Amino acid sequence: MTDVQLPQGLPRRVPVRQVLCLLPLALVLLVAVRHRSVLEEGFGQLRGAEWPWLVAAVAATCLTWVAAAFTRQGAVVERLPARRLLATQFAAGAANHLLPSGLGAGAVNLRFMTVCGVPLARSSAALALYLLAESITRVGLLLALLITFPGALHLGPLVPSGAVGPLALTAGAGLCAAVGASLLLVRRLRTAVWSFLRTALGEARSVHTRPARALALWGGSLAFPALQAAGLAAVGRALGLPVPPAHIVVAYLAATVAVALVPVPGGIGSVEAALIVTLVAAGAPVALATAVVLGYRIITVWLPLLPGALTLGALLRLKVI
């Protein structure tokens, strides 16, 4: 085990793993201090809510970790230990809110799979397959609901008429041009990308030859955003939000798709703003939409953050990750 040398006057050596076990708790404290006003206001909004709907929101949040565990298992051929996999998803949720969005959960799951004996290249391919499946199902669910409920969102007052299409096309073209130029100009990058794609395609083919794995992958990917959106709808009902639940689901999916590429810790700040905007577009008053979003983030982010960090530290200490 690698050790670190400490200054004189302190014990000579402290194992690095023990330091890492305490790091998540320190990060939780830092984030909580930085956002203490949000915590106070969020808990205040929940005091007058209808508690059965809050319980439903908590239950939906807990089920998201189960859905994530199914999706992670579906992305690899090897059978992963179920209990440790579920605990890892709970810990990964905390890591995701402490590091730039997506990196925390990705790092935790990558380490877990390699500890379970999955080679690093295939673990990375499984991680990419998970992200691809989750993105496809989230966008697909949003499009299906927009077709079913075409009047769910009214973006006219929020976005200039005809601006959404050109903005999306411009952003997409710019991203494709940057990626293409990088692949053409940097030979090592091009070689690494093609090698990774071959591994990822081979892993995807192997997974889809097993119906149980494919069902876990795509079923979990669909259930994950659906449960997240159901949690927001439950909080909306608890606080008396005058918006149909289906429209709240559309608002949630639209907001999370919009901020998916924003590199901030767990989407803290950007997710709240996007959710408020889309709920207002769905017909909610601004003040009530803000209260619903704050209450929802208390349930889905802040309440699980400390136990998630403790679980993360325990998994590190037990060398599960």
Side-chain angles (χ1 to χ4, degrees), residues 14-111:
V14 175
V16 171
R17 187 169 288 274
Q18 290 186 10
V19 175
L20 292 176
C21 291
L22 296 175
L23 183 60
L25 297 179
L27 290 174
V28 168
L29 179 61
L30 177 63
V31 173
V33 169
R34 287 181 57 191
H35 298 274
R36 61 182 180 277
S37 60
V38 175
L39 284 168
E40 292 172 358
E41 188 172 354
F43 278 110
Q45 297 292 348
L46 292 178
R47 288 195 187 101
E50 297 182 25
W51 66 265
W53 287 110
L54 293 183
V55 172
V58 171
T61 300
C62 293
L63 288 175
T64 59
W65 301 315
V66 178
F70 270 96
T71 312
R72 299 287 183 185
Q73 176 61 84
V76 292
V77 174
E78 291 86 350
R79 184 175 181 81
L80 302 174
R83 292 181 182 178
R84 282 183 283 171
L85 176 59
L86 182 58
T88 301
Q89 302 320 300
F90 184 49
N96 215 36
H97 297 300
L98 299 175
L99 295 173
S101 184
L103 295 181
V108 169
N109 280 286
L110 194 64
R111 177 61 182 168

Side-chain angles (χ1 to χ4, degrees), residues 212-238:
R213 292 289 186 270
L215 179 61
L217 175 65
W218 293 102
S221 296
L222 182 62
F224 185 75
L227 287 166
Q228 289 180 319
L232 179 63
V235 175
R237 292 295 301 270

Side-chain angles (χ1 to χ4, degrees), residues 2-315:
T2 305
D3 294 337
V4 293
Q5 188 70 39
L6 296 178
Q8 290 184 350
L10 294 175
R12 282 191 171 186
R13 294 181 182 274
V14 175
V16 171
R17 187 169 288 274
Q18 290 186 10
V19 175
L20 292 176
C21 291
L22 296 175
L23 183 60
L25 297 179
L27 290 174
V28 168
L29 179 61
L30 177 63
V31 173
V33 169
R34 287 181 57 191
H35 298 274
R36 61 182 180 277
S37 60
V38 175
L39 284 168
E40 292 172 358
E41 188 172 354
F43 278 110
Q45 297 292 348
L46 292 178
R47 288 195 187 101
E50 297 182 25
W51 66 265
W53 287 110
L54 293 183
V55 172
V58 171
T61 300
C62 293
L63 288 175
T64 59
W65 301 315
V66 178
F70 270 96
T71 312
R72 299 287 183 185
Q73 176 61 84
V76 292
V77 174
E78 291 86 350
R79 184 175 181 81
L80 302 174
R83 292 181 182 178
R84 282 183 283 171
L85 176 59
L86 182 58
T88 301
Q89 302 320 300
F90 184 49
N96 215 36
H97 297 300
L98 299 175
L99 295 173
S101 184
L103 295 181
V108 169
N109 280 286
L110 194 64
R111 177 61 182 168
F112 174 68
M113 285 186 285
T114 53
V115 169
C116 289
V118 183
L120 181 59
R122 291 185 50 236
S123 297
S124 302
L127 183 62
L129 181 58
Y130 168 88
L131 294 174
L132 178 63
E134 205 274 333
S135 300
I136 290 174
T137 51
R138 186 180 293 266
V139 174
L141 183 59
L142 173 61
L143 292 176
L145 289 175
L146 284 174
I147 293 171
T148 306
F149 305 100
L153 298 179
H154 303 280
L155 296 174
L158 302 172
V159 180
S161 179
V164 176
L167 284 175
L169 288 175
T170 302
L175 179 61
C176 291
V179 172
S182 300
L183 292 176
L184 288 174
L185 296 175
V186 184
R187 184 176 180 180
R188 285 187 176 181
L189 177 61
R190 186 168 63 249
T191 302
V193 168
W194 294 138
S195 176
F196 174 77
L197 287 176
R198 284 194 297 270
T199 303
L201 288 173
E203 190 71 12
R205 282 195 297 267
S206 299
V207 164
H208 285 88
T209 58
R210 301 186 175 212
R213 292 289 186 270
L215 179 61
L217 175 65
W218 293 102
S221 296
L222 182 62
F224 185 75
L227 287 166
Q228 289 180 319
L232 179 63
V235 175
R237 292 295 301 270
L239 293 175
L241 189 70
V243 177
H247 293 194
I248 296 177
V249 171
V250 172
Y252 174 83
L253 293 171
T256 53
V257 168
V259 300
L261 298 178
V262 178
V264 295
I268 292 175
S270 62
V271 171
E272 284 88 342
L275 283 173
I276 291 170
V277 168
T278 53
L279 284 176
V280 171
V286 176
L288 192 51
T290 303
V292 169
V293 170
L294 289 174
Y296 174 71
R297 294 295 273 176
I298 287 290
I299 291 173
T300 58
V301 176
W302 296 105
L303 288 181
L305 194 56
L306 180 57
L310 291 171
T311 302
L312 180 60
L315 293 177

